[in-house]
């Protein structure tokens, strides 16, 4: 397709031939279908995890900013929920068995994505944050307690 675009700078401003535009719209439709398939598969996989509903329904911290993070056998994370989708502002990961990954720069960043998995001894939690290097926190713990302080 790029061979049919005379000037990338003009294309970047949103100008192209009708033929290129038709091809891009078709490509966009195909990409959307593939994305929806992947999202459906992900949703089914997460629903298949044996996560208690009281945890699953409260684990909604997208766009909440991390204001405190303590480590140890118990990891406590406090969040500024302004702009988020919850009023619960404290998450406690009890009985931390293993910290698989804990990147720098989590404090002050925004929670943007998470996955929960059931393990033999509790849960495995994967959290992705916004900011420098897209920091991650991946832990295994016995229990998760969500609270509003």
């Amino acid at each position: 397709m790029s061979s049919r675009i005379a000037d990338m700078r003009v294309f970047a401003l949103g100008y192209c031939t009708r033929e290129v535009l038709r091809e891009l719209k078709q490509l966009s439709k195909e990409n959307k279908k593939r994305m929806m398939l992947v999202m459906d598969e992900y949703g089914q996989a997460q629903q298949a995890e044996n996560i208690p509903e009281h945890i699953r329904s409260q684990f909604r911290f997208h766009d909440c900013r991390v204001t405190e993070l303590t480590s140890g056998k118990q990891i406590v994370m406090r969040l500024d929920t302004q702009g988020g989708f919850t009023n619960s502002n404290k998450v406690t990961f009890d009985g931390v068995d293993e910290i698989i990954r804990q990147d720098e720069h989590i404090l002050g960043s925004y929670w943007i994505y998470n996955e929960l998995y059931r393990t033999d001894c509790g849960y495995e939690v994967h959290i992705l944050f916004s900011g420098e290097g897209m920091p991650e926190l991946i832990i295994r713990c016995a229990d998760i307690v969500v609270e509003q302080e």
Side-chain angles (χ1 to χ4, degrees):
M1 178 183 323
S2 63
S3 64
R4 289 180 285 147
I5 298 172
D7 187 336
M8 279 295 184
R9 296 169 298 178
V10 174
F11 177 72
L13 293 172
Y15 297 100
C16 62
T17 64
R18 290 179 203 265
E19 180 183 321
V20 169
L21 183 59
R22 268 194 300 274
E23 193 173 329
L24 285 172
K25 284 184 178 180
Q26 182 60 37
L27 184 62
S28 179
K29 283 181 188 176
E30 291 168 13
N31 285 339
K32 186 173 183 176
K33 283 180 190 176
R34 275 191 260 155
M35 182 194 67
M36 294 307 290
L37 254 172
V38 169
M39 292 300 290
D40 287 345
E41 289 173 5
Y42 164 76
Q44 290 172 13
Q46 282 292 285
Q47 283 302 118
E49 289 292 324
N50 187 19
I51 308 292
E53 189 56 34
H54 75 276
I55 292 175
R56 185 188 306 272
S57 66
Q58 292 183 30
F59 216 74
R60 305 175 300 143
F61 302 104
H62 192 279
D63 289 339
C64 294
R65 189 172 59 83
V66 179
T67 59
E68 182 182 331
L69 180 64
T70 64
S71 292
K73 273 297 193 191
Q74 185 181 67
I75 293 178
V76 176
M77 188 180 298
R78 286 191 171 76
L79 304 158
D80 176 355
T81 61
Q82 185 177 4
F85 301 92
T86 181
N87 291 324
S88 299
N89 58 356
K90 180 182 177 187
V91 185
T92 304
F93 302 99
D94 277 326
V96 174
D97 178 45
E98 181 180 3
I99 298 175
I100 298 168
R101 180 173 182 163
Q102 184 174 356
D103 293 336
E104 295 180 7
H105 309 296
I106 291 174
L107 195 63
S109 64
Y110 288 85
W111 182 310
I112 58 173
Y113 180 76
N114 62 261
E115 293 178 4
L116 286 173
Y117 300 98
R118 192 73 158 138
T119 65
D120 292 337
C121 301
Y123 305 95
E124 185 170 302
V125 183
H126 297 234
I127 308 169
L128 180 67
F129 301 91
S130 68
E132 185 179 332
M134 301 290 287
E136 292 180 63
L137 176 63
I138 303 173
I139 60 171
R140 288 195 183 119
C141 62
D143 197 13
I144 301 170
V145 178
V146 177
E147 303 172 83
Q148 181 178 348
E149 290 186 318

